Amino acid sequence: ITADTVPLITALRGLAGVGYAIATVASLEYLIERQPGHDRARAMTTFVVVVIGGTFAGTALGGILADRLGYGPVFAIGAFMVVVAAVLAWRSLEPTVDPADGGETVRFGSSDVVGVLRDSRLMALLAGVTVPMNVALAAFLWYLVPLTLTAAGESTSVVGRTLMLYYLAVLVAGPLIARLGGARIGTPLLVGAGALISGAAMFAPVVSSATLVVSLAVTGVGLGHAAIRAPQLSLAIGLGEARRTTAGRGATLAVMRMLERLGSLAGLLLAAILLAGSDLAVATAAVAMAVSVAAVAYLASVLVTVRRVKHA
């Protein structure tokens, strides 16, 4: 509310990001502890829908309030809501470990993180799907799309409505795709196909910067990510639990969140560097190509694994 310099805003935003990361990982751990294994995919879908729904509603409501009240009151309202949510969570959530039973909180260390990084199946998922998804979000959705629409002469409100198509697609299609797609083709193939769809959709603005084409591209990326967000969480957790330790699962979530943020940072840097030396079409094509190649590589690794299992 009181920050008025770029360094201070950057530092406070970074602090908020740290808190968000801690809360997200803790929420997932709590959900996993409370949810039976056979219902985990549905639980992950619900978690993603709630997060995306909050982002969708918060962005729209924040924009309306900012136009009417200004930025300061919006930040104040947001801070108040976060404090209320924290108090409700603290008072309502039960501990996942009962001290009376002699239980201890499970912690993971650097060796568990190294173990995750050495797991070829996990790294294939993270490098082929998780990181590219965040590259697409940061570089394409949050950076290149607004610049493309602005260069085409569209207003800020049109840019905002176009970006909302992504969250709407994930919110509406996510539960349906996760339920039907995972049952028909399997979770690994589903997330790989979603990554490939999102990469292919990003090529559309390279051909035309018309608002309708960009809107269709944003929707396509959203539909691709609808097949990724919840299923990849369930898949990563399952692979982490295959390490037969709760610490392995916690380390998996931590590494996953860390690589997501690094993917967002790398995506923004890549787009900015390409844009500085070329134009919007070239930068968009490069990001789309990177995401598509990673998706193809992941799908190839999944098919190789499936063949090995069949011939075993």
Side-chain angles (χ1 to χ4, degrees):
I1 299 174
T2 59
D4 55 359
T5 63
V6 173
L8 181 56
I9 293 173
T10 302
L12 293 175
R13 185 169 176 80
L15 183 61
V18 172
Y20 178 83
I22 293 173
T24 302
V25 174
S27 298
L28 283 171
E29 278 286 347
Y30 184 88
L31 182 63
I32 294 166
E33 291 289 341
R34 295 291 176 178
Q35 193 69 31
H38 61 278
D39 285 336
R40 184 163 296 160
R42 184 171 60 183
M44 294 298 103
T45 301
T46 303
F47 178 83
V48 169
V49 167
V50 170
V51 171
I52 294 297
T55 304
F56 181 84
T59 302
L61 182 60
I64 294 172
L65 292 176
D67 285 339
R68 295 179 178 273
L69 304 177
Y71 292 107
V74 174
F75 284 120
I77 292 171
F80 174 75
M81 292 176 65
V82 170
V83 171
V84 171
V87 171
L88 290 175
W90 178 53
R91 296 295 299 272
S92 302
L93 299 183
E94 300 176 0
T96 56
V97 176
D98 188 358
D101 295 335
E104 296 181 357
T105 302
V106 178
R107 296 179 175 86
F108 61 87
S110 58
S111 61
D112 297 296
V113 173
V114 171
V116 172
L117 296 176
R118 289 179 177 176
D119 189 316
S120 59
R121 291 184 302 169
L122 269 172
M123 290 310 299
L125 173 66
L126 298 179
V129 177
T130 302
V131 172
M133 183 183 73
N134 285 272
V135 168
L137 275 174
F140 178 75
L141 187 68
W142 299 337
Y143 186 55
L144 293 174
V145 165
L147 290 178
T148 300
L149 292 174
T150 301
E154 297 293 353
S155 64
T156 303
S157 60
V158 172
V159 174
R161 288 197 298 269
T162 303
L163 295 181
M164 287 300 99
L165 291 174
Y166 169 85
Y167 298 103
L168 185 61
V170 176
L171 187 63
V172 174
L176 180 63
I177 292 176
R179 183 171 62 252
L180 298 181
R184 289 173 181 258
I185 66 174
T187 303
L189 286 176
L190 176 64
V191 297
L196 189 58
I197 290 171
S198 66
M202 285 190 287
F203 281 106
V206 178
V207 179
S208 172
S209 60
T211 303
L212 177 60
V213 175
V214 176
S215 298
L216 291 174
V218 170
T219 304
V221 173
L223 292 174
H225 287 184
I228 296 174
R229 285 187 168 273
Q232 71 156 353
L233 276 174
S234 179
L235 184 59
I237 291 168
L239 292 173
E241 288 182 333
R243 301 176 59 81
R244 300 184 182 280
T245 63
T246 306
R249 184 182 66 204
T252 298
L253 290 174
V255 170
M256 190 175 190
R257 290 305 179 191
M258 178 186 69
L259 291 179
E260 283 179 347
R261 301 301 171 251
L262 290 177
S264 298
L265 177 60
L268 285 173
L269 289 175
L270 173 64
I273 292 171
L274 291 172
L275 195 56
S278 57
D279 57 18
L280 282 168
V282 173
T284 302
V287 173
M289 181 63 69
V291 173
S292 299
V293 169
V296 170
Y298 175 72
L299 281 171
S301 70
V302 170
L303 293 175
V304 169
T305 302
V306 170
R307 286 184 180 181
R308 287 177 180 176
V309 172
K310 286 183 177 180
H311 293 292

